[in-house]
Amino acid sequence: MTQQGVRWTADQVLALAPDVPSRKAGSKLGVAGPWSEAGSSGEGAVWGLCKGSGSKPYQTIVDIADITGAAGPAYKCSCPSRKFPCKHALGLLLLWSGEDGSVGAVPDAQPPEWAEEWLAGRRKRAETKRAPDTGPGSPVADPEGARRRAERRAERVTAGVTELEQRLSDLLRGGIAAAEQTGYGLWEETAARMVDAQAPGLASRVRELGAIPSSGPGWPVRMLEECALLHLLDQGWLHRERLPEPLAATVRSRIGLPTPAQGPPARDQWLVLAQYDTADSKLTTRRIWLYGTESGRTALLLSYGAAGRAPALALPVGLALDAELASYPGAGQLRADLGEQFGAPAPTTVRPPGVRTEQAARRYGDMLRDDPWLDSWPVTLSDVIPTPHPGPASDGWQLVDAEGDMALPITPSAASRAGLWRLVALSGGAPVTVFGECGHEGFTPLTAWPRGAGEAVALC
């Protein structure tokens, strides 16, 4: 059930947008002008008719609570857009948020027939999903068949790992400098061989390795480091029987073997800390960081979409979600699956506890002992001030402890994005709380809270 009278902020709505153009287009539709017959229900549904270029208005509905319990808000619109949410869904949610003073434009009401039909279908699917499948047509587990398939895949992975070890030996025997003349084609071919070996995690790391030559000053050192990490991962796989089970699970995960979430689900009020996408030529990956306000646990949700399309799962930053999460195995593993939800995301005053910059760096170092392939670790910094690096020739930024003389550099990629200037404007020279990822290149800010009782501000 939604909380009547408690509606999201515009920033929380726009955090759901799949891209910048959708965010801009949705903002233009967040006023009463183009909308008619808009309404909302106590079960978490918001609907309305939006005037478009055609004679018939678009029918738009959002299930804020997602009664199926499968993901975040769900959307349905009669427009032809393939984006989720589309600009009409974003505009409807902005109108519902009422930040322009138009709360009365989306009154509590009974859904019209077209909206009720969609909601009824979702209720039916939710009931079917929750009902135990014990009929005569239920699938029967085949543990022996699963074991044979796992053995065949392990053999293919071992063959791929052995081939990759030979490629790394050839590279080092010929000298790192020769990689600049070899070109990217050899590494793309090697990555394809890893895909054939059913080791997608290795394929991804090989592609990253192939992009290092001629990537800027110091690239030979970076390439040698990546070669060492690849070799370590290869050896971890070849000698996995000798590893402690948590580390063996981490190796399997880094290789790219699918591992289901295990153990009983944990229910909590999960604060949505951050959400951002990364993309390559084949896939868009969305990362959503959560913080359990009762357990104090940090968790990561991953969802995927085809190249150029946003993943379906989206959660508004700064709100709390009453839901269950199931964890994945592995040393220091934070990934989880979102299970059943028990209500719509709602505002909360809870913030994750923060640490100093020195503690953040030490925490990342500690986690590297359990997972040497870890690029970064989530951490919240308390009372830090974004400050330019000292020195006339420097154009970088850092987060400086308000009380103390320690600082963390902001990663170059983050320093080049607009989110940095949102952080600087939010701070105004005063301390702020910042959540982000701390890694070997520095700190990437993702969300910030001003000192006091201000709302969370997404920086990505």
Side-chain angles (χ1 to χ4, degrees):
M1 301 289 288
T2 59
Q3 301 179 37
Q4 297 302 313
V6 179
R7 306 198 179 199
W8 302 352
T9 67
D11 280 345
Q12 289 161 346
V13 171
L14 293 176
L16 301 173
D19 50 38
V20 173
S22 296
R23 190 176 296 119
K24 292 180 179 178
S27 297
K28 295 178 181 179
L29 294 175
V31 294
W35 292 96
S36 61
E37 300 182 27
S40 64
S41 74
E43 294 183 347
V46 183
W47 60 86
L49 301 177
C50 186
K51 183 179 180 182
S53 56
S55 58
K56 295 181 62 177
Y58 296 123
Q59 296 177 339
T60 308
I61 181 170
V62 181
D63 176 9
I64 299 170
D66 189 359
I67 55 179
T68 69
Y75 317 93
K76 173 69 174 177
C77 186
S78 59
C79 76
S81 174
R82 299 178 65 187
K83 297 180 179 180
F84 297 97
C86 67
K87 63 181 181 180
H88 305 102
L90 290 169
L92 178 62
L93 286 175
L94 287 171
L95 185 68
W96 168 77
S97 73
E99 290 211 345
D100 64 348
S102 58
V103 174
V106 187
D108 296 337
Q110 290 296 317
E113 183 178 350
W114 58 269
E116 178 57 39
E117 182 179 352
W118 183 72
L119 290 170
R122 292 181 61 74
R123 292 190 193 99
K124 185 176 180 180
R125 289 193 295 273
E127 291 170 0
T128 302
K129 180 179 178 181
R130 291 169 186 149
D133 191 0
T134 57
S138 303
V140 179
D142 180 10
E144 180 61 24
R147 184 189 63 79
R148 289 196 299 267
R149 288 191 295 272
E151 287 180 352
R152 288 195 295 269
R153 180 165 190 174
E155 290 172 358
R156 286 192 287 269
V157 172
T158 298
V161 164
T162 302
E163 180 178 346
L164 179 57
E165 282 289 272
Q166 185 60 52
R167 291 286 176 96
L168 293 176
S169 296
D170 293 343
L171 171 66
L172 297 177
R173 189 177 298 111
I176 292 289
E180 197 169 16
Q181 284 74 44
T182 303
Y184 185 74
L186 174 64
W187 297 109
E188 182 58 38
E189 176 191 346
T190 304
R193 298 282 290 173
M194 296 305 104
V195 172
D196 293 341
Q198 295 186 291
L202 282 180
S204 177
R205 297 195 77 98
V206 167
R207 290 192 181 98
E208 293 176 1
L209 180 68
I212 293 177
S214 304
S215 61
W219 72 261
V221 174
R222 293 195 297 275
M223 190 156 194
L224 186 59
E225 291 173 346
E226 186 60 32
C227 286
L229 287 172
L230 264 175
H231 172 68
L232 184 63
L233 185 54
D234 289 345
Q235 293 300 310
W237 171 262
L238 295 174
H239 301 92
R240 60 193 180 280
E241 295 85 359
R242 307 179 190 175
L243 301 179
E245 179 49 35
L247 183 56
T250 298
V251 169
R252 291 193 293 268
S253 174
R254 294 298 183 182
I255 288 286
L257 268 64
T259 304
Q262 298 178 358
R267 182 175 177 179
D268 206 334
Q269 291 285 338
W270 298 99
L271 171 63
V272 184
L273 291 173
Q275 172 180 293
Y276 70 95
D277 295 348
T278 56
D280 56 29
S281 60
K282 298 181 180 180
L283 197 67
T284 299
T285 302
R286 173 163 294 166
R287 290 170 171 82
I288 302 178
W289 285 109
L290 304 177
Y291 171 74
T293 59
E294 297 175 9
S295 64
R297 171 188 163 201
T298 301
L300 173 65
L301 303 181
L302 293 179
S303 59
Y304 303 93
R309 297 192 62 180
L313 178 60
L315 296 173
V317 174
L319 298 186
L321 181 67
D322 184 3
E324 292 180 338
L325 294 187
S327 301
Y328 282 76
Q333 177 67 263
L334 297 180
R335 188 184 172 189
D337 274 346
L338 180 61
E340 185 175 357
Q341 300 179 47
F342 303 94
T348 179
T349 58
V350 176
R351 298 182 182 183
V355 299
R356 300 299 184 190
T357 57
E358 181 181 9
Q359 294 170 293
R362 186 184 302 118
R363 186 172 297 178
Y364 172 60
D366 291 342
M367 295 312 303
L368 282 174
R369 292 200 301 263
D370 294 329
D371 184 355
W373 309 278
L374 186 67
D375 291 324
S376 60
W377 186 254
V379 67
T380 301
L381 300 177
S382 62
D383 292 334
V384 290
I385 303 172
T387 308
H389 275 304
S394 176
D395 57 357
W397 285 76
Q398 58 186 349
L399 293 173
V400 180
D401 285 325
E403 298 179 2
D405 55 357
M406 303 298 292
L408 275 177
I410 293 177
T411 56
S413 58
S416 64
R417 295 197 294 260
L420 172 63
W421 305 113
R422 297 191 74 183
L423 176 60
V424 172
L426 180 70
S427 166
V432 290
T433 297
V434 184
F435 169 78
E437 297 171 348
C438 182
H440 60 278
E441 292 186 345
F443 187 86
T444 300
L446 299 176
T447 307
W449 295 262
R451 177 176 281 184
E455 301 282 350
V457 176
L459 306 175
C460 55

